[in-house]
Amino acid sequence: MGTVEQNGLDRSNQRLGEYYGMIMKKQIFFLMNRFSGKIGSFLPLAAWLLSWLCFSWVGVGQTAEPDEILQEVDQAMGADSQIMVIRVVNRRGAKEDAPVVFTIAKKGGDRLVAMIIAPDTVQGVTAFRSGGELWLRIPNRKVEMQQEGLVRTFIGGGLFNNEDLLHLDYHTEFQARLAREDQANWYLELTPKWPWVPYAQVSMVVDKAFKLPREVTQYGPNHTLIKTIRYTQMQHFRDGPMRPSLLETTNALNPEYTSTLRYGDVQPTDIPDTLFDKTALSKIRDYFLQEK
């Protein structure tokens, strides 16, 4: 069959599909009207159910754009302006380090400030991140400095680096491609938009029902597996939405090393823009104490 004939056949099939779709919608709405006259008080439920069936049928085969899915993930994971309390535990075989607890204030998806609450050995260390820049302040030394690279960790060890702990919105750092999907999940392949992103590629499994990540796998150059982060234990926080409260990661090079990150609290609040500046590192502690 030639190209012209094939194109004509494709257009005919498309018009035929649209025609049958229109007929099906008319039949469903006709049945809905007939049915609603008999069920009385059950009308709202019946109308909702039949409408859902109708538009579900018409919408078969339609998939959201990958970058839109990524933005929905960011929205589901937190408010535009919020404060979080996070607890990180690092394990090396049978040995478990003392938990590191810190508070993060995030605004706009691309700016964060943080302060370590415990343990005492690193208490009071503050950090400011904007894009690829990360500034630290160590109170005892009264040092303010830029920490180059995001593969290190300002909390002192563990598998979660600064990119993971002081995490910007995914759609700010990555461009998404839909690799595949099934009934429950989207499977996205993310490539960095900026040279300062420490991963060459990231794979993400997204739960369709909640628009939340189930698993994130990070790769270095030449598709070298770095680590996998699993999002588990769904719960409600003070801002309302259900989201994972526990992140568990394993080291691909040394499986005996594991780290967990638990959200202790997530609270939406209006954070002043003046806090997000390297010159405000000394004020972060006062702000968090005031909020507490």
Side-chain angles (χ1 to χ4, degrees):
M1 183 180 294
T3 303
V4 175
E5 291 84 351
Q6 181 63 49
N7 291 339
L9 181 60
D10 291 341
R11 287 193 296 270
S12 297
N13 289 336
Q14 181 179 359
R15 288 194 294 270
L16 185 62
E18 293 172 352
Y19 171 76
Y20 280 122
M22 180 183 65
I23 296 298
M24 178 65 72
K25 288 167 66 177
K26 289 183 177 180
Q27 289 176 343
I28 290 176
F29 283 114
F30 171 76
L31 291 173
M32 186 167 65
N33 290 332
R34 292 287 300 275
F35 188 53
S36 63
K38 297 181 180 181
I39 61 177
S41 61
F42 293 100
L43 174 60
L45 177 61
W48 175 86
L49 178 60
L50 289 173
S51 297
W52 180 85
L53 290 172
C54 171
F55 290 107
S56 295
W57 183 85
V58 173
V60 169
Q62 296 181 353
T63 301
E65 291 295 324
D67 287 328
E68 293 177 0
I69 296 173
L70 203 58
Q71 290 189 40
E72 290 179 342
V73 168
D74 290 325
Q75 293 169 2
M77 284 296 290
D80 182 68
S81 181
Q82 63 182 5
I83 293 179
M84 302 167 281
V85 177
I86 293 176
R87 182 177 184 267
V88 175
V89 176
N90 301 312
R91 298 179 180 87
R92 297 171 178 83
K95 181 183 177 182
E96 181 176 301
D97 294 346
V100 180
V101 182
F102 58 101
T103 303
I104 296 178
K106 183 176 181 180
K107 190 166 188 177
D110 61 350
R111 295 174 298 166
L112 306 100
V113 292
M115 182 183 73
I116 298 178
I117 302 172
D120 293 340
T121 53
V122 287
Q123 186 183 53
V125 173
T126 55
F128 162 64
R129 180 182 178 186
S130 176
E133 291 189 352
L134 177 63
W135 291 82
L136 301 179
R137 182 176 187 271
I138 304 173
N140 294 335
R141 304 177 190 174
K142 295 185 178 180
V143 174
E144 296 183 9
M145 60 185 176
Q146 183 176 13
Q147 185 177 5
E148 296 181 358
L150 296 170
V151 294
R152 304 177 187 175
T153 173
F154 83 104
I155 65 173
L159 299 183
F160 288 107
N161 56 31
N162 291 322
E163 171 70 13
D164 306 316
L165 299 172
L166 306 175
H167 176 61
L168 306 184
D169 281 357
Y170 278 106
H171 79 273
T172 299
E173 295 193 285
F174 294 96
Q175 185 172 3
R177 180 182 71 84
L178 182 62
R180 63 186 180 92
E181 65 177 298
D182 54 32
Q183 188 173 0
N185 302 307
W186 288 298
Y187 299 84
L188 302 180
E189 297 296 336
L190 311 181
T191 53
K193 294 180 178 180
W194 312 104
W196 40 260
V197 177
Y199 305 118
Q201 182 180 334
V202 172
S203 297
M204 177 185 290
V205 182
V206 179
D207 184 294
K208 287 184 175 181
F210 291 99
K211 305 295 193 299
L212 289 169
R214 287 179 176 268
E215 185 175 284
V216 169
T217 306
Q218 301 164 343
Y219 298 92
N222 301 319
H223 207 68
T224 303
L225 177 60
I226 298 176
K227 64 177 181 288
T228 299
I229 304 174
R230 293 176 179 84
Y231 293 68
T232 61
Q233 297 189 14
M234 300 280 286
Q235 76 173 64
H236 286 286
F237 292 94
R238 276 198 274 180
D239 59 345
M242 181 83 76
R243 66 166 64 99
S245 63
L246 182 67
L247 278 62
E248 302 173 294
T249 186
T250 53
N251 188 338
L253 301 177
N254 192 339
E256 290 187 358
Y257 283 68
T258 61
S259 294
T260 59
L261 184 154
R262 182 177 295 277
Y263 290 93
D265 190 21
V266 180
Q267 177 185 358
T269 186
D270 186 21
I271 306 170
D273 289 324
T274 54
L275 192 67
F276 298 93
D277 190 280
K278 65 181 181 180
T279 61
L281 280 167
S282 60
K283 303 175 184 178
I284 293 173
R285 181 178 181 275
D286 293 336
Y287 174 78
F288 282 134
L289 290 177
Q290 176 184 345
E291 288 296 310
K292 185 177 179 180

